[in-house]
Amino acid sequence: AIRTSTILGFLMICGFAVYGIRLGIFASSDAFSSYILSLGIAAPLIFILVQGIQVIIPILPGAVGCVVGVIAFGPVFGLLYSYIGICAGSIGAFLISRRYGLPVVRKFINHRKLDKYMGWLDKGNKFEKFFAIAILFPVAPDDLLCFLAGLTKMKLKKFSTIIFLCKPPSIALYSLMLMGAVSLTGF
């Protein structure tokens, strides 16, 4: 089901890309923003939902979503909507992991990546420190770490506090770095 969801999500993105190219949605950042905003109140809700889902089911890289948010909704609301969606998805990944354990986590995470980080689970308090520091930086495997955190004795309150406090800098850095790259392309 997870692989199927990932494949379906990817196909939907490809379909939207073809649709967008035909309509000229991707001709400029203004055209893209206008299209997204034409969806009205559904636009931020859909965006937040997609950002949350992409944490649990890897449809697209989270960084891409952050840039899309800034282009579509502007820097303040784009970052805010990304933050809400990513935090909700992170808590969802933690709760799925906590509820269903390692057998289900193995369905969500590539075995090699999971095995690489499994050793951290036995480090107790060190994992929590590592987790908090890693969440601050945009290059950490955040989604995987959220699933791993659910396998530890970390309380939901502590996990949520780390996510709420440490996520904004990484979301902002991703968005700003990639916006710089996008602006160089003339989009």
Side-chain angles (χ1 to χ4, degrees):
I2 295 163
R3 284 190 195 123
T4 302
S5 298
T6 300
I7 292 168
L8 285 174
F10 179 73
L11 290 174
M12 288 172 61
I13 290 170
C14 290
F16 178 71
V18 170
Y19 172 78
I21 289 169
R22 287 188 177 166
L23 287 181
I25 293 170
F26 304 119
S28 70
S29 58
D30 289 337
F32 180 75
S33 180
S34 294
Y35 173 77
I36 296 295
L37 295 176
S38 74
L39 300 173
I41 189 69
L45 297 175
I46 292 168
F47 178 75
I48 289 169
L49 181 66
V50 168
Q51 282 292 75
I53 290 171
Q54 64 81 21
V55 172
I56 299 168
I57 301 172
I59 298 169
L60 73 148
V64 172
C66 291
V67 171
V68 167
V70 171
I71 292 171
F73 304 107
V76 173
F77 287 107
L79 291 173
L80 177 65
Y81 298 152
S82 285
Y83 174 69
I84 293 168
I86 291 170
C87 287
S90 297
I91 291 169
F94 177 87
L95 292 173
I96 288 169
S97 178
R98 175 65 44 93
R99 171 84 167 97
Y100 299 105
L102 186 58
V104 170
V105 171
R106 288 190 184 282
K107 304 274 186 208
F108 284 95
I109 305 295
N110 175 298
H111 292 279
R112 277 187 242 137
K113 285 183 182 180
L114 184 60
D115 292 342
K116 178 179 175 182
Y117 289 95
M118 283 297 288
W120 280 94
L121 296 182
D122 299 329
K123 303 220 186 280
N125 196 26
K126 286 184 180 181
F127 175 80
E128 292 178 6
K129 291 176 184 173
F130 167 74
F131 178 74
I133 291 167
I135 294 300
L136 275 170
F137 295 102
V139 292
D142 297 1
D143 306 347
L144 178 139
L145 293 174
C146 291
F147 278 107
L148 282 180
L151 298 174
T152 68
K153 293 180 181 173
M154 187 185 307
K155 302 287 184 202
L156 176 60
K157 183 177 180 179
K158 185 169 198 168
F159 174 84
S160 299
T161 300
I162 291 170
I163 291 295
F164 292 142
L165 295 177
C166 296
K167 262 302 178 195
S170 67
I171 292 171
L173 278 171
Y174 259 141
S175 300
L176 296 174
M177 288 185 321
L178 292 171
M179 278 303 298
V182 168
S183 68
L184 291 175
T185 65
F187 183 72

